[in-house]
């Protein structure tokens, strides 16, 4: 799966580069970052699953260095309390959507994800957090747009 992730990241980078070639003043946003992909692999490791963290980390480093991937200038990390996540999960399922895997619903995995991104932010200073406990989808989008308009 790590190769599929990397192929997707390269396609997204190509799309972003094509858009930037047309207009240098646009803001490009992705729905996840290399941090979320890597923290997923760490979660797999935490739960004694087959993980590809080391391989994926090496691939990201190589692709960034070779100019095949864009390193984001800013990362927006949406956070919510576990109770909020669980309540939204139940509503999502009640609307007929599939549930995320038990692995992704695991508290320890979610906590690891948060901790990993927090540690990276301490090193880079490039992570902005938005607490989405009391925000609906439209408000989250508006908050992100406001943050990005100040960049």
């Amino acid at each position: 799966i790590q190769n599929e992730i990397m192929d997707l990241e390269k396609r997204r980078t190509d799309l972003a580069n094509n858009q930037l070639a047309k207009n240098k003043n646009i803001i490009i946003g992705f729905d996840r970052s290399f941090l979320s992909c890597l923290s997923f692999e760490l979660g797999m490791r935490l739960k004694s699953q087959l993980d590809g963290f080391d391989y994926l980390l090496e691939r990201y480093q190589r692709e960034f260095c070779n100019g095949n991937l864009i390193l984001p200038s800013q990362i927006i990390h949406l956070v919510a309390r576990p109770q909020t996540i669980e309540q939204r999960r139940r509503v999502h399922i009640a609307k007929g959507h599939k549930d995320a895997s038990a692995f992704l619903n695991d508290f320890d995995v979610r906590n690891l994800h948060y901790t990993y991104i927090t540690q990276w932010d301490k090193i880079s200073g490039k992570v902005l957090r938005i607490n989405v406990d009391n925000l609906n989808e439209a408000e989250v989008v508006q908050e992100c747009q406001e943050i990005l308009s100040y960049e």
Side-chain angles (χ1 to χ4, degrees), residues 51-99:
D51 76 270
F53 177 81
D54 296 325
Y55 174 75
L56 192 59
L57 177 61
E58 185 274 327
R59 284 287 312 269
Y60 269 115
Q61 289 171 333
R62 184 171 2 127
E63 299 300 341
F64 284 135
C65 290
N66 291 340
N68 297 324
L69 295 178
I70 295 174
L71 188 61
S73 59
Q74 194 69 60
I75 294 173
I76 299 174
H77 184 205
L78 306 179
V79 296
R81 293 185 324 261
Q83 300 89 334
T84 302
I85 294 169
E86 182 58 26
Q87 185 269 335
R88 289 180 179 169
R89 181 180 149 272
R90 280 192 230 120
V91 168
H92 185 74
I93 294 167
K95 289 181 178 179
H97 299 286
K98 289 184 179 180
D99 193 7

Side-chain angles (χ1 to χ4, degrees), residues 38-149:
L38 289 169
S39 67
F40 175 86
E41 294 296 335
L42 281 178
M44 295 287 284
R45 181 177 289 174
L46 175 73
K47 293 301 175 178
S48 300
Q49 305 281 332
L50 181 62
D51 76 270
F53 177 81
D54 296 325
Y55 174 75
L56 192 59
L57 177 61
E58 185 274 327
R59 284 287 312 269
Y60 269 115
Q61 289 171 333
R62 184 171 2 127
E63 299 300 341
F64 284 135
C65 290
N66 291 340
N68 297 324
L69 295 178
I70 295 174
L71 188 61
S73 59
Q74 194 69 60
I75 294 173
I76 299 174
H77 184 205
L78 306 179
V79 296
R81 293 185 324 261
Q83 300 89 334
T84 302
I85 294 169
E86 182 58 26
Q87 185 269 335
R88 289 180 179 169
R89 181 180 149 272
R90 280 192 230 120
V91 168
H92 185 74
I93 294 167
K95 289 181 178 179
H97 299 286
K98 289 184 179 180
D99 193 7
S101 70
F103 166 77
L104 292 174
N105 290 325
D106 185 275
F107 176 78
D108 293 333
V109 171
R110 287 182 185 161
N111 191 46
L112 176 69
H113 178 82
Y114 182 86
T115 302
Y116 183 73
I117 293 175
T118 299
Q119 292 302 316
W120 196 82
D121 182 38
K122 287 179 182 177
I123 295 167
S124 71
K126 292 183 179 252
V127 178
L128 295 173
R129 280 200 175 73
I130 300 175
N131 184 302
V132 297
D133 279 324
N134 299 312
L135 302 177
N136 63 35
E137 287 178 33
E139 292 167 327
V140 170
V141 170
Q142 181 180 354
E143 187 79 19
C144 290
Q145 288 173 331
E146 288 174 11
I147 288 172
L148 294 173
S149 69

